[in-house]
Every structure is written in C-alpha cells, then in structure tokens.
Amino acid sequence: MKVRLLDVAHARSGDKGDTANVGIIALESRWYEFLARHVTRDAVAAHFRGVITGDVVRFELPNLTALNFLLHGALGGGGTLSLKTDAQGKVYSTALLRMVVDVPADEAARLGLPTWTG
C-alpha cells in the first residue's frame, strides 16, 4: 500500500545557517509509529537526493508524536549568503510531505492509514 505523508502528518521547516530544519508531526498519535518506522534518515536522504549536499540527521520526539530532521547543505550557504529562491528553507516541509511510503497492507489496516492510489 502507498501512503502519502501529506495525509498523515503536518510539517514545519526553517533555516539554521546552511541547514534546513524540518519537523514532521503525526496528525493522529497512532500514526507516529508509522512515521518512526518508515520515515528514516536514509529515506529522507533519498527523497532529497540532488537537492542537499550534506548529511541528514534524525531526532525522535515521541512525546510530541514528531520527528525532526536536519538537512545539512540544503540552503546554499544560508539565508544571507544563498542565491536560492528559498534561502530560509520554508518549502522543505512541503517537499517532505510529498514523500510516498510503501507500507505492508496489514500495517496500513492496523493503524487506519489513509492509502493513496495516485
């Protein structure tokens, strides 16, 4: 089954120098398990391949049903140095929510995840 992050989470992002800071928060607490299992450091790095030049670091915040990612080398030097259109990294949250995850059908059913057929 395919699940879009847009259907199970909301997100915020911003800049910290040349690093984009992206937080993704489960819309329902039961969906945090899905996020923690499938939205891995490697999956996010692959999603942003070719867009960021550095490492991805993931932090788990289970009490907030959220994950936080640092995307190093994402902002072309940072807000005051960058020639990028989004030098403050505000659209990285929207870009992450466009990620689609393959989930076993039994897990999707057990967690009541909205699936996507797009």
Side-chain angles (χ1 to χ4, degrees), residues 107-118:
E107 181 180 355
R110 179 175 55 81
L111 293 174
L113 295 167
T115 57
W116 183 64
T117 58

Side-chain angles (χ1 to χ4, degrees), residues 53-66:
T53 60
D55 196 19
V56 173
V57 180
R58 182 179 105 154
F59 298 91
E60 296 181 8
L61 304 155
N63 58 324
L64 301 175
T65 65

Side-chain angles (χ1 to χ4, degrees), residues 1-3 34 38 100-104:
M1 309 295 298
K2 295 193 178 299
V3 175
F34 159 77
H38 295 283
V100 176
V101 178
D102 287 315
V103 180

Side-chain angles (χ1 to χ4, degrees), residues 7-72:
D7 295 326
V8 297
H10 61 97
R12 296 276 301 182
S13 59
D15 65 307
K16 302 289 185 241
D18 192 31
T19 300
N21 181 30
V22 183
I24 185 164
I25 305 102
L27 291 174
E28 295 188 21
S29 59
R30 65 186 169 141
W31 293 341
Y32 175 73
E33 173 188 333
F34 159 77
L35 294 177
R37 181 173 303 134
H38 295 283
V39 186
T40 63
R41 186 207 74 78
D42 290 340
V44 171
H47 184 70
F48 287 111
R49 183 171 290 123
V51 178
I52 65 172
T53 60
D55 196 19
V56 173
V57 180
R58 182 179 105 154
F59 298 91
E60 296 181 8
L61 304 155
N63 58 324
L64 301 175
T65 65
L67 301 172
N68 191 62
F69 293 90
L70 298 180
L71 311 177
H72 294 283

